[in-house]
């Protein structure tokens, strides 16, 4: 086992490699502030497209005449788009710079959310959703990269900051969508469409970063020496991260897509069900800020993996036994479990020594992970429709926590993908 001095030296070397040519030209305070503002603004808009739909899923299903299986497919579209479009993020960042790509991503979110309420049928609604989700996908992948490049000495802290903003945006959309729809005449279309304006505003800070390629593009364009000739698919840690990311995403998108319906079927009103989903999401606000900082100081993150999973199992048990008895408690527990997302992002930033390594690992883990998560929400919708209740779907959700724990224990080991790929190459 390496001693602390060796570990510190390795991290210092990682910082030097990550900053690359820009290391000799420190970023201005204005640029750093603009990056922070842009990260927060972007993160606030990375989930409203999903949780706003979850709050009004029943109305959308009725309005577009969807079956339970098709609705399950709809809740899987985010994962599919994240898997497909996330792969393109590193190449786009090398060519145009991360700032320009995230700016375009915010514009795509605004366009997709603005077009979605105009859909007259399910295919058009899915296409508009896919446009917005494509913007979310590339931004998802590039956020850890931007943190590594602009703030290589504060990965945990900055990951926590944007994860907190992401959780806050998720919660606000879940809680506010139904009241907004009621205030605008009860139309689900207006309730969903209003979020396009916020995505358009989020693009503004990134306009000032489009020309700033010094820290982001330069480091991601030229592979670091230890990354040359490395095949990331040879790294067991990369696969463990992909599996962990995919399984936590499965639980998260099932929760965002179906939790309000579970509560509504238990006798909870639509507005209260939306608030309960917001409670689940808002748990990530403080925890997403604290958890990455704690994980960043640990050599092994397996203990955190187990603790978060235990909360998830307890929440699913409550939903299965008595969903209407203590819905707030179940929502809180699932909210803690959903903080596996910022933990996964933090581990992605820690499992490579360099900025280029994080680019490749982030793209691989998120794209493969989201691909893995696609069947979950569809299967939940099918089981719900076929069984007529939530017993089997909730049992499936709980059962998926077991492989998530196993993958997380492997992903949480103190390893670097560069060492593993070389050792097995």
């Amino acid at each position: 086992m390496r001693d602390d001095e060796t570990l510190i030296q390795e991290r210092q070397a990682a910082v030097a490699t990550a900053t690359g040519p820009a290391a000799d030209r420190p970023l201005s305070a204005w640029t750093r502030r603009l990056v922070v503002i842009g990260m927060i603004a972007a993160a606030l808009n990375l989930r409203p497209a999903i949780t706003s739909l979850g709050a009004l899923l029943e109305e959308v299903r009725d309005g577009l005449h969807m079956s339970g299986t098709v609705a399950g497919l709809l809740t899987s579209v985010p994962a599919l788009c994240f898997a497909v479009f996330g792969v393109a993020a590193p190449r786009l960042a090398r060519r145009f710079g991360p700032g320009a790509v995230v700016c375009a991503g915010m514009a795509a979110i605004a366009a997709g959310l603005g077009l979605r309420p105009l859909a007259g049928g399910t295919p058009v609604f899915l296409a508009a959703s896919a446009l917005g989700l494509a913007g979310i996908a590339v931004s998802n992948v590039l956020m850890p990269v931007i943190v590594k490049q602009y703030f290589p000495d504060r990965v945990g802290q900055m990951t926590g900051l944007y994860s907190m903003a992401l959780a806050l945006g998720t919660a606000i959309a879940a809680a506010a969508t139904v009241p907004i729809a009621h205030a605008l005449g009860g139309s689900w279309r207006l309730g969903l469409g209003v979020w396009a304006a916020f995505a358009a505003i989020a693009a503004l800070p990134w306009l000032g970063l489009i020309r700033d390629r010094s820290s982001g593009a330069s480091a991601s364009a030229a592979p670091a020496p230890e990354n040359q000739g490395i095949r990331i698919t040879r790294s067991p840690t990369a696969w463990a991260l992909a599996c962990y990311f995919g399984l936590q995403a499965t639980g998260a998108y099932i929760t965002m897509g179906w939790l309000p319906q579970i509560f509504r079927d238990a006798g909870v009103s639509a507005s209260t069900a939306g608030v309960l989903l917001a409670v689940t999401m808002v748990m990530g606000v403080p925890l997403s800020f604290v958890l990455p900082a704690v994980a960043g100081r640990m050599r092994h993150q397996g203990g955190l993996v187990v603790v978060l999973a235990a909360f998830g199992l307890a929440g699913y048990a409550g939903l299965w036994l008595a969903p209407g008895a203590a819905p707030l408690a179940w929502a809180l527990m699932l909210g803690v479990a959903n903080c596996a997302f910022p933990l996964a992002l933090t581990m992605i930033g820690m499992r490579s020594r360099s900025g280029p390594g994080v680019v490749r690992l982030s793209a691989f883990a998120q794209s493969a992970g989201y691909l893995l998560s696609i069947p979950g929400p569809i299967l939940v919708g099918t089981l719900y429709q076929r069984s007529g209740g939530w017993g089997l779907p909730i049992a499936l959700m709980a059962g998926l926590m077991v492989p998530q724990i196993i993958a997380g224990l492997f992903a949480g080991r103190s390893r670097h993908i560069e060492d593993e790929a070389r050792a097995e190459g």
Side-chain angles (χ1 to χ4, degrees):
M1 181 179 295
R2 299 183 180 91
D3 56 24
D4 291 339
E5 183 179 354
T6 303
L7 183 62
I8 292 172
Q9 291 174 350
E10 286 182 353
R11 290 184 176 175
Q12 289 173 339
V15 170
T17 303
T19 54
D24 297 330
R25 303 190 306 275
L27 294 170
S28 68
W30 165 249
T31 299
R32 287 184 179 273
R33 284 194 292 268
L34 192 60
V35 173
V36 172
I37 293 170
M39 285 172 52
I40 294 173
L44 286 169
N45 286 276
L46 291 181
R47 293 298 179 270
I50 303 166
T51 51
S52 62
L53 178 59
L56 291 172
L57 184 58
E58 184 172 318
E59 287 75 11
V60 174
R61 287 178 60 191
D62 293 340
L64 299 178
H65 308 292
M66 294 182 188
S67 66
T69 300
V70 173
L73 174 63
L74 183 61
T75 58
S76 288
V77 168
L80 176 61
C81 290
F82 295 168
V84 172
F85 296 109
V87 175
R91 182 177 301 175
L92 292 172
R94 286 194 298 270
R95 182 169 182 178
F96 301 106
V101 177
V102 174
C103 184
M106 294 299 108
I109 295 170
L113 297 189
L115 292 172
R116 191 161 65 172
L118 305 178
T122 301
V124 178
F125 189 90
L126 288 173
S129 296
L131 174 61
L133 292 166
I136 297 175
V138 294
S139 301
N140 272 340
V141 171
L142 292 181
M143 282 295 155
V145 177
I146 288 170
V147 168
K148 186 78 169 182
Q149 304 307 328
Y150 285 99
F151 307 97
D153 54 339
R154 289 186 287 167
V155 170
Q157 181 182 354
M158 299 310 297
T159 299
L161 181 63
Y162 87 77
S163 296
M164 183 176 66
L166 189 150
L168 182 61
T170 304
I172 291 173
T177 297
V178 172
I180 288 173
H182 288 166
L184 296 176
S187 170
W188 63 263
R189 296 179 184 275
L190 294 177
L192 294 182
V194 71
W195 301 105
F198 296 97
I201 294 172
L204 298 179
W206 295 98
L207 290 173
L209 294 166
I210 288 178
R211 294 181 179 276
D212 178 33
R213 300 165 61 92
S214 61
S215 191
S218 62
S220 59
E226 64 267 33
N227 289 117
Q228 294 179 358
I230 294 295
R231 292 181 59 186
I232 198 167
T233 53
R234 293 179 176 177
S235 167
T237 295
W239 281 106
L241 274 169
C243 292
Y244 184 68
F245 195 97
L247 289 167
Q248 67 80 27
T250 299
Y253 289 110
I254 289 174
T255 298
M256 286 187 280
W258 289 109
L259 186 61
Q261 192 64 52
I262 294 174
F263 286 133
R264 291 177 71 169
D265 288 350
V268 178
S269 68
S271 57
T272 302
V275 170
L276 288 169
L277 177 59
V279 168
T280 299
M281 299 298 111
V282 83
M283 285 300 295
V285 175
L287 291 178
S288 293
F289 185 74
V290 174
L291 190 63
V294 173
R297 291 194 295 266
M298 301 172 65
R299 289 181 59 86
H300 307 277
Q301 290 77 42
L304 294 176
V305 168
V306 174
V307 170
L308 296 180
F311 276 94
L313 290 171
Y316 289 136
L319 287 179
W320 189 70
L321 294 172
L328 180 59
W330 317 145
L332 289 170
M333 291 178 183
L334 292 176
V336 175
N338 277 350
C339 287
F341 174 72
L343 177 59
L345 292 181
T346 304
M347 290 193 291
I348 287 173
M350 297 177 67
R351 297 287 94 94
S352 175
R353 289 194 171 91
S354 69
V358 174
V359 174
R360 298 175 66 184
L361 181 57
S362 180
F364 174 77
Q366 293 199 46
S367 296
Y370 282 126
L371 192 63
L372 177 66
S373 72
I374 291 171
I378 300 175
L379 187 55
V380 165
T382 302
L383 289 175
Y384 171 58
Q385 182 171 332
R386 296 289 178 86
S387 66
W390 287 105
L392 286 177
I394 293 172
L396 171 66
M397 299 178 210
L400 290 175
M401 296 300 297
V402 176
Q404 180 176 323
I405 293 172
I406 295 172
L409 289 174
F410 279 97
R413 298 177 302 169
S414 181
R415 300 286 192 276
H416 293 105
I417 59 171
E418 293 86 357
D419 297 335
E420 293 180 335
R422 270 201 303 269
E424 299 198 12

